[in-house]
Amino acid sequence: MGYVAVKGGTAAINESIKRLKYERLKKKEILDVKDIDGGMRGLIDQVMSESSLYSEELASTAIKQSEGNPEEAVFLLRAYRSTLPRKHYTRITSSGEMFVERRISASFKDIPGGQILGASYDYTHRLMDFDLIDEKRSDAVTWVEEFENEIIKTNDDTDLKNLPKVVDYLRKEGLIKNHPLNDEEPKDITKENLEFPTKRSERLQILTRGQTGAVTSLGYAALRAYGALHPTVGELRIGNLPLCIENPFDSEGSEDEYYIGDIKITEVECFMPTTVEKKRGQKEIEFEVGYGICYGQNETKAIAMSILDQCLEDKDKRYPTQDEEFVLLHIDCVESTGFISHLKLPHYVTFQSKLDSVRKTRKGGKEDEDKL
Amino acid sequence: MKINYNFAFFDEGSKREIRRASLKAVAIPGYQVPFASREMPIARGWGTGGLQLTLSLIGKNDTLKVIDQGSDESVNAVNIKKLIEKTTGVSVTDETDNASIIQSRHRIPEVPLRDNQILVLQVPIPEPLRAVEPSEYETKKLHAENEYSGAYLMLFEQIIKYGNMSTGADHPVSVHDRYVMAPSPIPRFDNPKMNYSKALILLGAGREKKIYAVPPYTKVQSLDFDDFPFEAESFEDKKCRLCGATGVFMDELADGKTGEVYYQCNDSSYCLSRLNNIAGHEAVKNGGI
C-alpha cells in the first residue's frame, strides 16, 4: 500500500500498525510482564518517575507494549493516568519515617546512624558479565535462598525507620538557615496551569517528573558552568515511605487516617555554599539546601533535581539553568518528545503559505531593486 | 486497575474542567484561558488541545469531522477520528455540511460553516507575541495592557526587510477589538473566514495549556497597516486540476514524470463533493440515472 503525499489512508495506517506488531513478535519470543517486573527495575523506576504514576505492574506492561522504549512507555502511562480521577491527596509525610535501604553522605564521614551502602552500581566494575547469557533459574533460586538466610543471621540494632537527618545536624550548628515549615497545600500542576513566577511546590513537581536525561543534563550544565557552585551531597537516601490519607468518612481536620501503602523513593539533600552580605558590607558564607525526590531508585536524577531546585531558588538571570521558564517548560518527556515528533506530520498548508510569502518577498525585493 | 475507558476517554471531572475553561474563553473573545491540559494517548503537538476540546464537548448525537491539512484521509486526521470513535461511538463524516463538530489542523473548510456547528482548531503556538517576547510572564502583561506594538513592529520589520509582510500561516488577528490572537496555523487565506463566523470557533493548545475562542458573529481582523493591507495567499489564476474550482486554497503539486506543476483543491471533501456534482450533472445531461 503506497503512502501518497498527505493522504495516508486508513488501509495504509492499519498495515503500519500491523507491521509494528510484527516487529515486536517476529523473533517468536513472548516477553512475560513478570519477567520485566522481575528484571528491569532500573527502567521501571525511571518510567514510573517520569509518568508520575506509581505502579510497577502498569509500568512493566507499558514497557512490554513499547518494546522497552522508555519514551513510549512514559507516554502510555501518562495518557492512562489522564483517565484516573484524583480521589484523595495523601497527608503530609515526613521522609524521616522512611524505611531506609541505602543512605550515604558525601559531606560527613561519621553521620549519626552510619553510612548504609545498600544496593548500588557505584561500587561495581562496569565489566560485561558473560555468565548472564547462561544464567539458570534454579541457580538464581538457590542463591537467593542462601542470601536471605545470611541476612537473618546478622545482627544489627540500627533503627532503619528512624534515622536522623544530616541536614538537622548542620541546622543545629547554625550553618543552614532555619526556614519555618511550609505546610501550605501544594498546587497540583496536573490540575492547574503553570503561572510565572511559580511556587516551589510547582517547581518540585515538574522537576520530579521531568525526563531523566533532561533533568540530568540541565543539572550537569548548572554544575559545570551555568549556575551553581559545586554542590555537596549532604544525604542521599533510598527507601520505602509510608503514605496515609485522611479518613474519607470523617469530618475534616480529624487525626484519623488510613495507611494506603508504601512507595519507594530516592531523596537527596545537597548543600551549596553561598555568600550572604551582612551589615556594613561584611560577607559570610552560608549553606543553602537543594532538594530532590523521585520515585524508585533514580540517584542521578534526584541529585540533578536538587541542583536545579537550588538554581531556581537563586534566579540569577545570567544563567539559563536559573531561569524557571527555561528549565520548567522544557524538561517534560511527553511534551518535548511530542512536539519534536510532530515535525513528522505533513506541513503542506503552512509550507505552501510560507512559500507564497517567500515568493512575494522575492518579487517585492526585485521590484524595489528596480526602483533604485 | 484494568478498567475500561470512559465515554470520551476522560473522567467526568476532567471534561467539566475543560468545558469551564471553554466557557470562559467564549466570554472573553481571543483571550487565552490557561487550563490543566491532560496527557493524551496521542502525542503532544499532534493536536491534543483540539482533541481535549472535542472530547469535552462531544455527545452521543454529534457527528464528527476531522481534517488535517485540508484532508479527512490524512494520517493524523484518521488517528484522531479513530480514537474519538473508539471512545464515544459517535458517527463520523467527511462532509462538512453533515458535521456538528469539526476538528481541524491548519484549515477552515471551504464550505461556509453554520451557526449550529462548532469548529475546533488545533493550535501549536497560541501566543501571538511569542516571536517578539520569549517570556510567558511578560506576554501576559502585554496582553493585559493591550500593548501590541510588538506584533505590529514585527510586521513592520518584515515590510522593511522584505518589502512585504512575510508571515506564513498564523498571521495574527485582533478579536473583538481587544485581544490579539494567534489563529492557529491556518493559512492567511482562511483568516477572513473567522470574521463574523456563524459557527463557534474554539482553539486548543495542549502542550502550551491554553484554550481560546472566537464566539459566533465576532469581529476578527488580521493585523495590517493602512498603506500595507493584509494579503492572503493568492491563487488568482490557478484552477483545480480535478474539479476546476477557483478561489479556494490550493495544493501545489508536481507531476512526477513531466515535472509540470499543477494545482488541486486543498480541501479534499470540498473537491470530492464538487466532483460528485459535476458527475451527476453530466449523467443527467447524458440521460443517465
Side-chain angles (χ1 to χ4, degrees), chain A residues 17-55:
Chain A
I17 293 167
K18 219 191 265 175
R19 179 80 203 195
L20 180 68
K21 186 166 182 178
Y22 173 68
E23 289 295 332
R24 184 167 70 82
L25 298 175
K26 70 180 178 193
K27 291 192 177 163
K28 294 175 186 157
E29 282 289 339
I30 303 288
L31 201 49
D32 197 323
V33 170
K34 273 191 223 133
D35 290 338
I36 302 174
D37 190 27
M40 305 200 107
R41 189 174 58 93
L43 185 56
I44 289 171
D45 283 356
Q46 193 174 316
V47 165
M48 289 198 308
S49 172
E50 292 177 27
S51 309
S52 308
L53 185 64
Y54 195 90
S55 163

XYZ file of all heavy atoms in Angstrom, chain A residues 17-55:
317
model
N 0.435 -0.361 11.502
C 0.258 -0.836 12.873
C 0.513 -2.343 12.952
O 1.127 -2.842 13.887
C -1.153 -0.470 13.396
C -1.248 1.057 13.539
C -1.449 -1.143 14.728
C -2.644 1.573 13.751
N 0.065 -3.043 11.919
C 0.291 -4.486 11.862
C 1.804 -4.779 11.802
O 2.323 -5.664 12.460
C -0.396 -5.045 10.619
C -1.064 -6.391 10.859
C -1.496 -7.030 9.561
C -2.940 -6.739 9.201
N -3.282 -7.285 7.858
N 2.490 -3.978 10.998
C 3.938 -4.131 10.847
C 4.647 -3.924 12.186
O 5.608 -4.615 12.522
C 4.425 -3.096 9.825
C 5.899 -3.098 9.580
C 6.267 -4.206 8.627
N 7.658 -4.555 8.801
C 8.357 -5.272 7.934
N 7.785 -5.729 6.845
N 9.610 -5.538 8.173
N 4.144 -2.965 12.959
C 4.728 -2.691 14.278
C 4.575 -3.913 15.176
O 5.503 -4.307 15.889
C 4.048 -1.478 14.900
C 4.544 -1.051 16.275
C 5.959 -0.509 16.208
C 3.626 0.000 16.892
N 3.392 -4.510 15.136
C 3.158 -5.705 15.943
C 4.108 -6.818 15.496
O 4.673 -7.537 16.322
C 1.709 -6.148 15.795
C 1.360 -7.296 16.714
C -0.135 -7.485 16.812
C -0.437 -8.629 17.789
N -1.866 -8.837 17.976
N 4.302 -6.909 14.201
C 5.207 -7.923 13.663
C 6.626 -7.716 14.199
O 7.314 -8.659 14.596
C 5.185 -7.875 12.135
C 6.213 -8.776 11.494
C 6.090 -10.159 11.577
C 7.308 -8.240 10.822
C 7.029 -10.984 11.001
C 8.266 -9.058 10.239
C 8.125 -10.438 10.338
O 9.072 -11.252 9.775
N 7.065 -6.461 14.230
C 8.411 -6.155 14.737
C 8.572 -6.636 16.176
O 9.623 -7.102 16.579
C 8.698 -4.646 14.663
C 8.892 -4.101 13.255
C 10.131 -4.661 12.554
O 11.092 -5.016 13.248
O 10.098 -4.755 11.303
N 7.485 -6.516 16.965
C 7.557 -6.920 18.364
C 7.591 -8.455 18.486
O 8.181 -8.999 19.417
C 6.366 -6.352 19.132
C 6.393 -6.633 20.632
C 5.376 -5.801 21.381
N 4.004 -6.214 21.117
C 3.399 -7.234 21.717
N 4.040 -7.934 22.619
N 2.149 -7.535 21.425
N 6.939 -9.129 17.545
C 6.771 -10.572 17.707
C 7.631 -11.430 16.790
O 7.652 -12.643 16.920
C 5.288 -10.934 17.476
C 4.295 -10.306 18.437
C 2.876 -10.652 18.029
C 4.547 -10.767 19.870
N 8.356 -10.803 15.866
C 8.946 -11.593 14.783
C 9.979 -12.611 15.238
O 10.194 -13.609 14.555
C 9.509 -10.690 13.692
C 10.741 -9.906 14.093
C 11.214 -9.054 12.934
C 12.410 -8.255 13.360
N 12.722 -7.192 12.396
N 10.596 -12.390 16.403
C 11.557 -13.386 16.860
C 10.866 -14.537 17.575
O 11.505 -15.413 18.160
C 12.605 -12.737 17.761
C 13.509 -11.814 16.956
C 14.728 -11.355 17.704
C 15.595 -10.513 16.776
N 16.576 -9.708 17.514
N 9.530 -14.480 17.584
C 8.695 -15.542 18.138
C 9.003 -15.827 19.610
O 9.014 -16.979 20.044
C 8.804 -16.812 17.288
C 8.204 -16.580 15.913
C 8.394 -17.757 15.003
C 7.889 -17.385 13.612
N 8.476 -18.175 12.568
N 9.313 -14.764 20.338
C 9.511 -14.889 21.783
C 8.536 -13.932 22.436
O 8.401 -12.790 22.011
C 10.938 -14.467 22.161
C 11.987 -15.520 21.880
C 11.918 -16.705 22.818
O 11.352 -16.553 23.917
O 12.409 -17.785 22.448
N 7.852 -14.416 23.467
C 6.926 -13.532 24.174
C 7.549 -13.139 25.500
O 7.980 -13.994 26.272
C 5.588 -14.249 24.456
C 4.963 -14.745 23.169
C 4.635 -13.316 25.205
C 4.409 -13.683 22.303
N 7.607 -11.858 25.745
C 8.169 -11.362 26.992
C 7.058 -11.358 28.035
O 6.020 -10.732 27.835
C 8.684 -9.947 26.747
C 9.714 -9.355 27.678
C 10.872 -10.311 27.899
C 10.226 -8.057 27.101
N 7.260 -12.090 29.102
C 6.257 -12.093 30.163
C 6.376 -10.796 30.951
O 7.478 -10.367 31.276
C 6.531 -13.297 31.075
C 5.329 -13.627 31.949
O 4.651 -12.664 32.388
O 5.073 -14.815 32.186
N 5.226 -10.182 31.254
C 5.251 -8.947 32.047
C 5.984 -9.190 33.366
O 6.681 -8.314 33.864
C 3.810 -8.425 32.272
C 3.785 -7.307 33.292
C 3.204 -7.941 30.961
N 5.843 -10.417 33.887
C 6.534 -10.756 35.151
C 8.056 -10.714 34.983
O 8.774 -10.385 35.913
C 6.107 -12.147 35.625
C 4.848 -12.114 36.460
C 4.654 -13.479 37.108
C 3.182 -13.864 37.010
N 2.981 -15.246 36.547
N 8.542 -11.092 33.799
C 9.989 -11.024 33.545
C 10.480 -9.580 33.614
O 11.554 -9.294 34.143
C 10.324 -11.589 32.155
C 10.134 -13.095 32.097
O 10.164 -13.713 33.180
O 9.953 -13.619 30.993
N 9.688 -8.702 33.039
C 10.069 -7.282 33.067
C 10.041 -6.787 34.504
O 10.967 -6.139 34.986
C 9.118 -6.446 32.185
C 9.140 -6.961 30.753
C 9.499 -4.964 32.244
C 8.139 -6.319 29.838
N 8.947 -7.143 35.197
C 8.794 -6.725 36.585
C 9.966 -7.230 37.421
O 10.494 -6.521 38.283
C 7.458 -7.284 37.112
C 7.094 -6.719 38.459
O 7.539 -5.588 38.742
O 6.397 -7.399 39.224
N 10.431 -8.470 37.147
C 11.495 -9.057 37.942
C 12.879 -8.556 37.571
O 13.752 -8.453 38.426
N 13.094 -8.224 36.300
C 14.467 -7.966 35.874
C 14.789 -6.585 35.374
O 15.936 -6.311 35.014
N 13.803 -5.689 35.296
C 14.097 -4.380 34.728
C 13.785 -3.254 35.713
O 13.134 -2.264 35.375
C 13.312 -4.180 33.432
C 13.566 -5.287 32.429
S 13.151 -4.788 30.778
C 14.758 -4.590 30.090
N 14.278 -3.433 36.923
C 13.986 -2.493 37.992
C 14.370 -1.065 37.604
O 13.627 -0.109 37.841
C 14.751 -2.922 39.252
C 14.398 -2.191 40.517
C 15.119 -2.825 41.700
N 16.577 -2.813 41.508
C 17.395 -1.843 41.953
N 16.901 -0.832 42.621
N 18.693 -1.910 41.727
N 15.544 -0.901 36.964
C 16.022 0.439 36.628
C 15.090 1.158 35.677
O 14.724 2.319 35.892
N 14.663 0.438 34.642
C 13.772 1.034 33.652
C 12.394 1.324 34.254
O 11.800 2.372 34.014
C 13.657 0.100 32.443
C 12.869 0.601 31.247
C 13.422 1.923 30.740
C 12.884 -0.424 30.123
N 11.912 0.367 35.061
C 10.598 0.557 35.699
C 10.613 1.805 36.575
O 9.707 2.632 36.518
C 10.217 -0.688 36.532
C 9.887 -1.850 35.598
C 9.045 -0.408 37.454
C 9.705 -3.174 36.297
N 11.676 1.953 37.373
C 11.763 3.107 38.264
C 11.775 4.409 37.472
O 11.120 5.386 37.824
C 13.024 3.025 39.136
C 12.846 2.036 40.283
O 11.732 1.496 40.419
O 13.817 1.811 41.030
N 12.530 4.398 36.384
C 12.637 5.608 35.567
C 11.286 5.945 34.917
O 10.843 7.086 34.925
C 13.692 5.368 34.493
C 14.124 6.619 33.790
C 15.286 6.330 32.836
O 16.224 5.614 33.195
N 15.224 6.867 31.648
N 10.631 4.931 34.389
C 9.343 5.135 33.733
C 8.284 5.608 34.739
O 7.526 6.541 34.472
C 8.898 3.841 33.004
C 7.434 3.890 32.620
C 9.751 3.623 31.762
N 8.256 4.998 35.928
C 7.279 5.414 36.941
C 7.521 6.862 37.346
O 6.590 7.641 37.510
C 7.382 4.520 38.179
C 6.875 3.117 37.977
S 6.537 2.259 39.543
C 8.060 2.470 40.434
N 8.800 7.202 37.480
C 9.142 8.544 37.921
C 8.697 9.594 36.904
O 8.097 10.604 37.257
C 10.654 8.614 38.148
O 11.065 9.918 38.397
N 8.950 9.322 35.617
C 8.581 10.302 34.595
C 7.081 10.310 34.318
O 6.540 11.272 33.806
C 9.353 10.020 33.292
C 10.828 10.285 33.425
C 11.612 9.926 32.156
O 11.023 9.966 31.063
O 12.804 9.614 32.276
N 6.421 9.215 34.655
C 4.987 9.131 34.407
C 4.161 9.713 35.539
O 2.963 9.912 35.390
C 4.552 7.679 34.244
O 5.346 7.017 33.320
N 4.769 9.938 36.688
C 4.036 10.301 37.905
C 2.934 9.294 38.184
O 1.802 9.660 38.488
C 3.400 11.680 37.822
O 4.286 12.646 37.444
N 3.248 8.049 38.024
C 2.259 7.013 38.322
C 3.016 5.859 38.961
O 3.905 5.283 38.337
C 1.571 6.562 37.034
C 0.419 5.575 37.192
C -0.732 6.213 37.960
C -0.081 5.108 35.844
N 2.663 5.548 40.212
C 3.424 4.540 40.924
C 2.743 3.192 40.818
O 1.834 2.870 41.576
C 3.590 4.942 42.399
C 4.662 4.144 43.079
C 5.980 4.587 43.096
C 4.374 2.927 43.690
C 6.977 3.847 43.695
C 5.366 2.184 44.301
C 6.675 2.653 44.292
O 7.663 1.916 44.890
N 3.133 2.412 39.838
C 2.649 1.046 39.729
C 3.651 0.249 38.918
O 3.822 0.483 37.728
C 1.275 1.011 39.054
O 1.004 -0.304 38.611
